[in-house]
């Protein structure tokens, strides 16, 4: 791969050797870290600074009383996280084969006295802030390894006879959401993807992500955007996605999250957006929303789908959204904001929207002060879905 100056993305699709990553490599059992049905392994990662590496992971496969194969899920942790065996167990209990890998050279057991996850001797790179390792050769940068680790974990999960290779998804939280939304445009073997919090267009964010890009020399900034910002790969996405975020997430502003949803759709259905008020930012909060499991079950088990909303159509201050849903819609709200100068501190106001179920439509009248808005609906099962944010320009 050479140094960073050898990278010329316009002449190549992705910086990884996908043919190699699509083969399940060597796996080493680690029984000392296992707990009941949740198994522990190391698998061979990509070389780092000319040294071989291994990646720690937990996995579990549900027992099946029939010959039918089970769906699968690859779980991608965020900053400060690791391979969480409890996350694997949640999905195993729901009938999925699941694998969760550590992306920073740690073992997901118990934190040490310094509050850190214990490391191991075969570690690859650790994440350096927000792309602070951009000056290193591409093959030594963290995002190169993180995405490869996820793709390799997918290959390992596919190698189990009990797993249906046509029904495996990827789901990540925070930094894991960034990696998930990138990998969705790289590994087309996945059947669905669910990023939570993390998104693309990070170079536009008015926080540490945007500052990190702004601090780079122009050539490095453009190269890093092309290599590691998920938006560079959205045009390659060919799978349904569910995007989940809180209304006031402290790290990933809602307008960039909404923009990522729109750019990643590529005409693939069902793709959903769920922007939720009161959703906190953490691993445990990020795997709680029921929409995640409803969406996965629809894709892999032919379960009921989440409600589908069209893009809002606006005429003056009147808005119309077309809806289709497997379950009755019990609530529709127009969420609007007058001041969007700071997306991390937007004050949202709410107006009830009118459900016209006979016509499968939602109608709302915007407040005169609205600068941006979206429509949010709730079905009788409690699932919340949203339209993308719409900006207003007045005549």
């Amino acid at each position: 791969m050479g140094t960073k100056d050898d990278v010329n993305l316009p002449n190549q699709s992705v910086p990884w050797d996908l043919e190699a990553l699509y083969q399940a490599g060597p796996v080493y059992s680690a029984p000392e870290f296992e707990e009941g049905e949740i198994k522990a392994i190391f698998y061979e990662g990509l070389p780092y600074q000319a040294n071989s590496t291994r990646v720690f992971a937990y996995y579990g496969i549900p027992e099946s009383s029939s010959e039918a194969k089970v769906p699968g899920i690859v779980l991608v942790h965020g900053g400060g996280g690791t391979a969480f065996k409890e996350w694997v167990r949640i999905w195993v209990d729901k009938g999925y084969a699941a694998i969760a890998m550590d992306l920073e050279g740690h073992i997901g057991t118990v934190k040490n006295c310094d509050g850190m996850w214990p490391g191991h001797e075969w570690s690859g790179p650790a994440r350096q802030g927000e792309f602070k390792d951009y000056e290193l050769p591409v093959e030594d940068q963290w995002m190169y390894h993180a995405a490869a680790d996820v793709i390799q974990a997918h290959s390992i999960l596919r190698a189990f006879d009990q797993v249906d290779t046509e029904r495996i998804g990827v789901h990540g939280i925070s930094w894991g959401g960034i990696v998930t939304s990138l990998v969705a445009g790289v590994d087309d073997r996945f059947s669905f993807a669910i990023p939570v919090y993390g998104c693309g267009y990070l170079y536009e964010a008015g926080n540490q992500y945007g500052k990190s890009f702004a601090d780079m020399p122009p050539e490095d900034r453009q190269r890093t955007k092309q290599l590691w910002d998920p938006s560079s790969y959205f045009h390659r996405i060919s799978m349904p996605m569910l995007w989940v975020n809180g209304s006031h997430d402290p790290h990933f502003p809602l307008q960039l999250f909404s923009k990522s949803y729109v750019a990643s759709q590529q005409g693939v259905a069902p793709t959903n957006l769920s922007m939720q008020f009161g959703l906190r930012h953490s691993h445990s909060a990020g795997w709680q929303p029921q929409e995640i499991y409803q969406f996965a079950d629809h894709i892999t088990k032919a379960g009921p789908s989440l409600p589908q909303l069209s893009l809002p159509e606006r005429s003056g201050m009147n808005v119309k959204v077309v809806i289709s849903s497997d379950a009755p819609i019990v609530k529709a709200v127009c969420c609007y904001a007058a001041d969007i100068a700071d997306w991390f501190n937007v004050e949202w106001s709410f107006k009830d929207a009118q459900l016209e179920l006979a016509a499968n439509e939602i109608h709302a009248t915007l407040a005169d002060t609205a600068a941006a808005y979206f429509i949010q609906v709730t079905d009788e099962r409690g699932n919340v879905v949203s339209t993308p944010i719409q900006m207003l320009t007045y005549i």
Side-chain angles (χ1 to χ4, degrees):
M1 195 51 89
T3 68
K4 64 176 184 176
D5 296 321
D6 296 323
V7 177
N8 187 14
L9 280 183
N11 296 321
Q12 63 183 71
S13 55
V14 299
W16 300 272
D17 182 351
L18 294 182
E19 184 177 357
L21 293 176
Y22 283 4
Q23 305 300 314
V27 173
Y28 311 90
S29 62
E32 65 272 30
F33 303 117
E34 294 179 354
E35 184 176 303
E37 78 280 14
I38 307 303
K39 307 302 180 184
I41 58 171
F42 288 92
Y43 61 87
E44 190 170 290
L46 296 182
Y48 172 57
Q49 296 180 343
N51 296 315
S52 60
T53 68
R54 295 182 186 179
V55 180
F56 177 80
Y58 286 113
Y59 77 90
I61 299 177
E63 293 184 5
S64 176
S65 59
S66 68
E67 296 297 321
K69 294 189 175 186
V70 298
I73 190 79
V74 178
L75 304 171
V76 192
H77 70 80
T82 186
F84 292 109
K85 59 178 173 287
E86 57 266 46
W87 201 8
V88 172
R89 186 174 289 109
I90 287 170
W91 283 91
V92 170
D93 289 345
K94 293 181 181 295
Y96 289 76
I99 185 169
M101 78 303 300
D102 182 279
L103 300 179
E104 299 199 49
H106 298 132
I107 298 171
T109 52
V110 179
K111 289 184 177 181
N112 59 31
C113 58
D114 295 322
M116 303 293 292
W117 301 105
H120 61 81
E121 59 183 309
W122 306 287
S123 172
R127 181 172 58 84
Q128 302 298 313
E130 290 73 37
F131 311 107
K132 297 296 186 183
D133 54 0
Y134 69 88
E135 294 183 306
L136 297 177
V138 168
E139 64 269 24
D140 288 339
Q141 293 184 39
W142 180 78
M143 277 292 284
Y144 177 78
H145 283 260
D149 292 346
V150 172
I151 296 170
Q152 288 175 301
H154 184 196
S155 297
I156 290 169
L157 201 61
R158 295 171 70 89
F160 286 99
D161 291 338
Q162 307 98 309
V163 178
D164 184 345
T165 59
E166 299 300 313
R167 295 188 293 151
I168 301 175
V170 57
H171 167 35
I173 292 175
S174 195
W175 264 103
I178 297 173
V179 176
T180 292
S181 55
L182 183 154
V183 167
V186 175
D187 187 345
D188 62 5
R189 301 172 301 166
F190 283 114
S191 62
F192 66 94
I194 307 175
V196 178
Y197 312 129
C199 62
Y201 304 104
L202 301 174
Y203 48 88
E204 297 182 16
N207 62 357
Q208 71 270 20
Y209 293 101
K211 184 178 187 304
S212 180
F213 279 97
D215 288 345
M216 299 176 190
E219 182 181 348
D220 293 304
R221 182 186 312 135
Q222 182 62 24
R223 182 182 295 110
T224 303
K225 286 164 59 175
Q226 287 183 308
L227 280 168
W228 310 138
D229 191 88
S231 62
S232 295
Y233 301 92
F234 286 162
H235 70 283
R236 295 170 50 94
I237 290 175
S238 59
M239 68 193 68
M241 296 184 69
L242 168 64
W243 295 80
V244 181
N245 201 2
S247 59
H248 293 84
D249 189 80
H251 301 288
F252 301 98
L254 210 55
Q255 95 283 15
L256 297 186
F257 195 83
S258 174
K259 183 177 180 177
S260 297
Y261 158 78
V262 172
S264 68
Q265 279 189 291
Q266 303 300 321
V268 180
T271 290
N272 284 97
L273 174 64
S274 183
M275 299 188 293
Q276 304 188 6
F277 289 87
L279 179 61
R280 297 179 298 105
H281 188 106
S282 70
H283 285 97
S284 58
W287 65 53
Q288 288 297 320
Q290 66 181 41
E291 293 82 3
I292 292 169
Y293 308 101
Q294 186 84 53
F295 183 82
D297 284 352
H298 173 65
I299 301 298
T300 65
K301 302 178 182 180
S305 68
L306 296 174
Q308 300 292 300
L309 305 180
S310 71
L311 289 175
E313 300 175 27
R314 183 170 69 89
S315 176
M317 304 304 287
N318 297 313
V319 175
K320 181 182 77 172
V321 171
V322 178
I323 187 168
S324 62
S325 181
D326 291 339
I329 302 300
V330 297
K331 184 179 181 181
V333 177
C334 178
C335 311
Y336 67 94
D339 183 355
I340 54 174
D342 179 0
W343 278 100
F344 290 103
N345 292 291
V346 169
E347 183 177 339
W348 292 101
S349 299
F350 310 96
K351 291 184 68 175
D352 287 340
Q354 291 71 51
L355 291 167
E356 297 187 10
L357 299 180
N360 295 317
E361 292 178 354
I362 298 169
H363 292 263
T365 301
L366 297 173
D368 292 340
T369 57
Y373 73 94
F374 63 95
I375 303 297
Q376 182 190 73
V377 304
T378 306
D379 69 17
E380 71 172 5
R381 301 162 298 186
N383 295 311
V384 173
V385 299
S386 321
T387 68
I389 292 173
Q390 306 294 299
M391 309 296 183
L392 275 74
T393 55
Y394 294 103
I395 297 174

